[in-house]
Amino acid sequence: MTFAARVVRIGGALLRALALTVLLASVSGAQPADDAQGFNFDDADDAAPTFLDLASGQALDVALFAAFATLVMVSFFRKSVRLRVVTLVASVLYMGFYKSQLLSIVNVFGTLSETLAAVKVGSFGGGLPPFVYSLAWYAFAIFSVVTTVLWGRIYCGRVCAFGALTQLIDAVVPARWRVTVPPALEQRASYIKYGILIAAVGYYLATRQITFYRYIEPFWMFTREGTTVLWIMLGVLLVASMFVRNLYCRFLCPLGAALGLLSTLTVFKIKRWNECSQCQLCEKTCEWGAIRKRKIILTECVRCDDCERLYDDKTRCPHWLLEAKRKARAIADAVGVAR
């Protein structure tokens, strides 16, 4: 089996696992039936809440996320720099400090737990929150997975509060401070996050422990609760990110590695012109190292818009410049023939 076939198979399995876990979570969130051994007439006030009751209590939370998701998609389709910055700020404030809600390696563990419990492997179970009590979270998770399959790692490029924070830091740090990572080293370093993902999943399967996740993910910072060691590690990471742009996201994030594998199933890929096989303009512009030898690496691309704005720039993109020359030549030939 080729590597591409393996990746497709893994991605398909992840999608099936997600659908299965949503179903399992909805079942686990159901209320227990009344005792059938006698006549148990509870007062109306003590009756178990219905799904509509639970949903109405979460309506504001769901509506806020729907508004944020709309902003994310509008900024993605408009390809506006200003709108993207607004989205990044909203991500830090809403998803980070207000909700303190990000996808995590813990959710990968939860998906594995639910899947293994469903096929009765080991003593796993209870890995995801009950569906009826966590509607906004499931909307968030499903949105993140579906957009990854359709367009790629939009979550990493716009939704993740920590990724948004480091991108905003990069936007204000002077360019002269940045260290350019050599392409050969960058390519090798990008595999580190896959090693962390494999090691983390292996450790979890062997020990059933998840508390170590804080040492490989800095997302806890938005809860403002951490040990001295964790705060020191976070400070070092943020300082290092001032010199190596998007350091954690590009080289160390296990959740980004998991979404990278899923993004190999991307349906709507970035368009390419015939001239792209010769031009290196986008490759030199890409801040994520996602274009190598003029080929877009789906597992590394976060749909940041930089190359797509170049594709549409008729004053810079060689495709449009050559197209303008061809049109001018055709007009000149037509005028020559008319004479």
Side-chain angles (χ1 to χ4, degrees):
M1 183 183 293
T2 65
F3 175 76
R6 287 196 196 99
V7 169
V8 171
R9 183 176 180 181
I10 292 171
L14 286 172
L15 287 176
R16 290 192 294 271
L18 176 67
L20 179 60
T21 52
V22 170
L23 177 60
L24 288 171
S26 63
V27 173
S28 66
Q31 298 297 317
D34 288 338
D35 186 1
Q37 297 299 320
F39 298 100
N40 184 14
F41 298 107
D42 292 334
D43 292 336
D45 292 340
D46 297 332
T50 65
F51 177 79
L52 289 178
D53 293 332
L54 295 171
S56 62
Q58 302 173 67
L60 177 60
D61 205 12
V62 173
L64 287 174
F65 174 73
F68 173 71
T70 300
L71 173 63
V72 169
M73 297 313 299
V74 169
S75 73
F76 172 68
F77 287 116
R78 288 287 299 275
K79 309 301 179 190
S80 165
V81 175
R82 291 183 179 179
L83 199 52
R84 181 165 174 263
V85 171
V86 170
T87 305
L88 295 177
V89 172
S91 174
V92 173
L93 297 179
Y94 170 68
M95 296 301 297
F97 291 108
Y98 176 70
K99 290 289 294 180
S100 296
Q101 186 177 71
L102 289 80
L103 289 184
S104 166
I105 188 67
V106 173
N107 301 130
V108 176
F109 298 158
T111 302
L112 284 173
S113 294
E114 297 285 0
T115 304
L116 293 174
V119 297
K120 303 185 184 304
V121 175
S123 57
F124 295 93
L128 293 174
F131 179 75
V132 293
Y133 296 103
S134 312
L135 298 181
W137 186 88
Y138 277 95
F140 162 61
I142 292 172
F143 171 81
S144 301
V145 171
V146 170
T147 54
T148 299
V149 172
L150 291 179
W151 295 285
R153 290 170 56 189
I154 290 179
Y155 173 84
C156 297
R158 282 177 168 79
V159 180
C160 174
F162 186 81
L165 177 63
T166 58
Q167 290 179 71
L168 291 173
I169 290 174
D170 182 67
V172 299
V173 169
R176 65 179 180 274
W177 289 14
R178 297 191 191 113
V179 176
T180 301
V181 181
L185 177 59
E186 180 178 53
Q187 182 173 353
R188 289 174 174 81
S190 67
Y191 292 114
I192 295 175
K193 59 182 176 287
Y194 295 99
I196 295 175
L197 173 64
I198 293 171
V201 170
Y203 183 81
Y204 168 71
L205 293 177
T207 66
R208 312 290 202 273
Q209 297 295 319
I210 66 171
T211 54
F212 68 92
Y213 78 92
R214 285 186 160 210
Y215 293 92
I216 60 175
E217 289 183 336
F219 309 148
W220 56 267
M221 65 168 287
F222 294 106
T223 67
R224 298 175 293 283
E225 297 178 359
T227 65
T228 301
V229 172
L230 286 173
W231 283 112
I232 292 174
M233 292 174 62
L234 175 64
V236 171
L237 178 61
L238 291 178
V239 170
S241 298
M242 296 173 64
F243 300 98
V244 180
R245 64 185 2 161
N246 308 314
L247 173 65
Y248 179 78
C249 303
R250 291 163 64 191
F251 305 127
L252 303 174
C253 182
L255 191 279
L259 291 177
L261 293 175
L262 189 60
S263 70
T264 58
L265 302 176
T266 297
V267 176
F268 303 108
K269 298 179 177 65
I270 295 175
K271 64 183 178 182
R272 303 288 280 168
W273 305 119
N274 291 333
E275 293 82 1
C276 292
S277 61
Q278 303 297 323
C279 177
Q280 291 184 306
L281 182 59
C282 289
E283 185 172 355
K284 294 177 180 178
T285 303
C286 181
E287 300 178 0
W288 296 82
I291 305 178
R292 300 171 189 164
K293 296 182 179 180
R294 296 165 293 280
K295 179 181 179 182
I296 295 177
I297 310 301
L298 294 177
T299 54
E300 303 302 317
C301 177
V302 299
R303 300 304 294 260
C304 67
D305 300 341
D306 287 347
C307 65
E308 293 184 270
R309 282 194 296 272
L310 275 174
Y311 291 149
D312 294 331
D313 190 338
K314 295 186 178 182
T315 63
R316 296 181 63 193
C317 179
H319 167 79
W320 296 111
L321 296 176
L322 291 173
E323 187 71 14
K325 288 183 179 181
R326 284 191 287 266
K327 289 182 178 179
R329 188 181 301 115
I331 293 174
D333 293 343
V335 171
V337 170
R339 289 179 179 177

